[in-house]
Amino acid sequence: MGYDELMPVSRLGVDGLGGLGATVVDALDTAMIMGLDDVVSEASSWIESHLLDRIRQKGQVNLFETTIRVLGGLLSAYHLSGGDQGMTLAQKGPKPTIYLDIAKNLADRLLSAFTSSPTTIPFSDVVLRDSSAHSAPDGLSSTSEVSTLQLEFNYLSAISGDPKYSTEGMKVLAHLKTLPKTEGLVPIYISPHSGEFSGENIRLGSRGDSYYEYLIKVWLQLRDTQDGNFTYLHDMYEEAMRGVKHMLVQKSTPSELVFVGELPVGPKGYLSPKMDHLVCFLPGTLALGATKGLTKEKAMKDNLLTFEDLDNLKLAEDLTKTCFEMYSVTSTGLAPEIAYFHTKDYFESGLDGGNKSSEYVNDIIIKHADRHNLLRPETVESLFVLYRITQDPKYREWGWQIFESFEKYTKVESGGYSSLDDVTTVPPPKRDKMETFFLGETLKYLYLLFGDSSVMPLDKFVFNTEAHPLPIKSP
Ligand code: DMJ
């Protein structure tokens, strides 16, 4: 209790995120949603007794990771425990204002990343105990990191009545709007010193992913508020999705799985056919952007879907299948961290996932260095969103298969679940690490996938990138 990440095999813990007890904070709202009163009671009493001291005393933390996991977790706990006349899912635990007070104290320190920077682009790292901030050693911030703070900062401003959090966060998005892009797509690095993008690498995987996710989610969060016009976010999102379809979407051979490659085009003249598991957030985001959280049936009935929305929904369904097949194609039924795809231009033999009965065993390549599984959530997140929106039971069936593989190969009998070193080997060697997002995201999305659709409806809640639901406030 109180470590950032847990080591379930050795039954120890490790502070890989700066020492704010990230697992217990990230997991709290999952326990609330599941109605696990005893867990909520134990977790919330740790937070009430220890978290503020940790925030006052700890050193360097990453602005983005701390915002999405710790601040996001506190904000959801605030709402779910009845704050802001929110839901009262937690019968046990402290008053909601405790979560709000801790969230404000933390966010006040995180704000130094914005205020110390010479531009509107925040530094990547904050030293909590003295509220100072600095850039990473290479002087750069990740594009996804600077653009994945706004849901949390906006909600904190709304519930605290202090606009400063939202103001700083939204300045970043307003600035990003002015920068040159490639068909709406952006490089994965940005300089807080110049305010300009850096390098040529464009991808929807690591360091790029949630830039695209927050464009549409922040728009959904703010579109009905009266202060400000946020249509530019929707425009940026739509342009980017057109860019994805035009520049990055490819089909594998021989069985035509749709995947999202990476730029730049290599020396041989073709796109890199590499897809991080992280990209599997995209189908959920595309489906959400298309129907705005309504079911497809309702959105169609009310004539709300444009041709582009339907096209995005189709891409969402195709990509969800690919993400599921990245699991199905391995011997363990669990996806690797990164997959490559055979295409008309790219071939590498002898690197399949090991499940010879998969129809796609010849389409997907898994390189030795990419065979690990960190219990990541993106595919089950998209299965949850696609199920809610299309109501197609196949998404539950796929989710159940993935859940059974997690149970079979990652569960540690004495408690916890472990990351794996190699998903193509049975039994897969365990890594002895449970990332915080397994409890914060993976299990929450699986639980919601099999639950009633009236719980956390997608037109009333927006999930931050770490699966913490925040209510969309009415005007
Ligand atoms: C999580 O911390 C978030 O989902 C983030 O957006 C991406 N990486 C991890 C999960 O894979």
Side-chain angles (χ1 to χ4, degrees):
M1 177 63 91
Y3 282 108
D4 279 341
E5 291 114 346
L6 308 187
M7 299 164 66
V9 178
S10 51
R11 308 187 72 184
L12 298 170
V14 58
D15 281 341
L17 293 161
L20 298 184
T23 284
V24 67
V25 189
D26 215 356
L28 175 61
D29 65 352
T30 301
M32 288 177 170
I33 291 167
M34 291 179 176
L36 301 173
D37 285 352
D38 293 345
V39 178
V40 171
S41 177
E42 194 182 353
S44 60
S45 94
W46 185 89
I47 290 170
E48 187 174 14
S49 317
H50 300 284
L51 187 52
L52 212 42
D53 284 343
R54 295 267 181 115
I55 290 168
R56 290 192 187 113
Q57 289 159 11
K58 288 293 176 182
Q60 182 175 314
V61 296
N62 174 277
L63 167 67
F64 160 79
E65 299 292 1
T66 309
T67 299
I68 65 168
R69 302 187 201 213
V70 181
L71 185 61
L74 290 168
L75 294 173
S76 278
Y78 169 78
H79 179 75
L80 298 180
S81 60
D84 199 27
Q85 285 122 46
M87 310 165 77
T88 320
L89 286 184
Q91 305 302 332
K92 303 210 176 136
K95 289 205 212 75
T97 51
I98 299 282
Y99 299 118
L100 177 57
D101 290 343
I102 303 173
K104 279 197 290 186
N105 191 300
L106 176 59
D108 286 345
R109 292 164 201 268
L110 296 178
L111 275 182
S112 65
F114 297 83
T115 52
S116 330
S117 166
T119 67
T120 57
I121 300 303
F123 288 143
S124 59
D125 297 302
V126 169
V127 179
L128 289 172
R129 64 177 155 259
D130 54 13
S131 292
S132 65
H134 55 265
S135 50
D138 61 4
L140 299 173
S141 298
S142 298
T143 303
S144 64
E145 295 194 1
V146 303
S147 56
T148 308
L149 310 160
Q150 290 73 13
L151 285 178
E152 299 82 353
F153 279 50
N154 290 341
Y155 183 61
L156 180 57
S157 278
I159 58 178
S160 67
D162 189 335
K164 67 183 175 187
Y165 311 105
S166 176
T167 303
E168 292 301 331
M170 292 307 290
K171 274 193 225 164
V172 179
L173 299 183
H175 173 74
L176 293 176
K177 173 183 159 223
T178 67
L179 298 181
K181 306 180 180 67
T182 306
E183 300 193 24
L185 306 175
V186 294
I188 58 170
Y189 288 106
I190 188 162
S191 165
H193 301 285
S194 67
E196 303 293 328
F197 287 124
S198 173
E200 314 268 281
N201 293 326
I202 289 178
R203 59 175 179 241
L204 276 87
S206 60
R207 302 183 190 279
D209 47 9
S210 47
Y211 163 78
Y212 304 94
E213 178 185 353
Y214 269 36
L215 289 178
I216 193 70
K217 287 187 172 177
V218 175
W219 176 74
L220 287 168
Q221 182 190 46
L222 298 180
R223 66 177 165 153
D224 287 333
T225 55
Q226 275 144 3
D227 45 340
N229 181 354
F230 302 103
T231 315
Y232 76 92
L233 295 169
H234 190 259
D235 294 344
M236 287 165 74
Y237 169 77
E238 291 230 301
E239 189 192 0
M241 292 307 110
R242 274 178 233 133
V244 167
K245 285 183 274 189
H246 183 216
M247 302 198 67
L248 302 181
V249 167
Q250 307 248 293
K251 277 190 182 164
S252 67
T253 55
S255 299
E256 305 214 317
L257 285 173
V258 173
F259 69 94
V260 179
E262 297 184 359
L263 284 168
V265 166
K268 292 187 179 158
Y270 58 83
L271 208 65
S272 169
K274 163 177 179 264
M275 188 163 123
D276 293 351
H277 183 276
L278 289 166
V279 179
C280 293
F281 83 95
L282 182 61
T285 293
L286 279 164
L288 183 69
T291 69
K292 285 78 185 165
L294 301 173
T295 61
K296 181 181 179 189
E297 190 183 20
K298 164 110 177 95
M300 297 271 273
K301 194 162 139 254
D302 294 351
N303 224 357
L304 298 174
L305 299 183
T306 62
F307 174 77
E308 199 158 0
D309 291 330
L310 287 167
D311 199 41
N312 287 349
L313 201 47
K314 170 78 174 75
L315 177 59
E317 298 201 47
D318 290 345
L319 286 173
T320 306
K321 174 166 176 61
T322 302
C323 289
F324 170 67
E325 297 303 342
M326 281 165 61
Y327 284 70
S328 202
V329 83
T330 71
S331 317
T332 55
L334 292 168
E337 177 72 358
I338 299 171
Y340 286 74
F341 293 83
H342 283 132
T343 65
K344 61 181 176 20
D345 299 311
Y346 182 80
F347 186 82
E348 239 182 300
S349 62
L351 294 174
D352 67 61
N355 177 9
K356 305 288 183 198
S357 61
S358 162
E359 194 186 332
Y360 301 97
V361 69
N362 295 320
D363 288 65
I364 297 180
I365 303 161
I366 307 176
K367 301 198 181 192
H368 287 283
D370 307 330
R371 295 187 165 180
H372 49 293
N373 179 297
L374 304 184
L375 313 171
R376 285 198 192 274
E378 290 76 19
T379 296
V380 295
E381 166 185 351
S382 285
L383 291 173
F384 157 66
V385 178
L386 268 285
Y387 177 72
R388 283 283 178 97
I389 285 174
T390 67
Q391 301 170 300
D392 186 333
K394 79 178 174 201
Y395 297 115
R396 278 186 164 172
E397 283 154 23
W398 292 353
W400 189 252
Q401 281 188 45
I402 292 173
F403 172 71
E404 289 202 311
S405 299
F406 277 129
E407 282 291 292
K408 188 162 179 191
Y409 292 116
T410 72
K411 188 170 185 163
V412 177
E413 277 317 314
S414 54
Y417 290 73
S418 174
S419 299
L420 304 176
D421 276 337
D422 183 355
V423 294
T424 68
T425 305
V426 172
K430 291 198 171 80
R431 249 190 197 188
D432 196 15
K433 181 140 178 218
M434 182 168 73
E435 303 281 346
T436 78
F437 46 71
F438 183 66
L439 302 181
E441 297 196 68
T442 310
L443 290 185
K444 184 188 288 144
Y445 283 130
L446 280 166
Y447 180 81
L448 291 172
L449 170 64
F450 297 105
D452 195 281
S453 294
S454 61
V455 181
M456 309 284 150
L458 292 176
D459 59 339
K460 302 220 163 36
F461 285 86
V462 63
F463 286 78
N464 89 338
T465 195
E466 191 75 7
H468 296 302
L470 303 173
I472 300 175
K473 299 184 72 72
S474 51

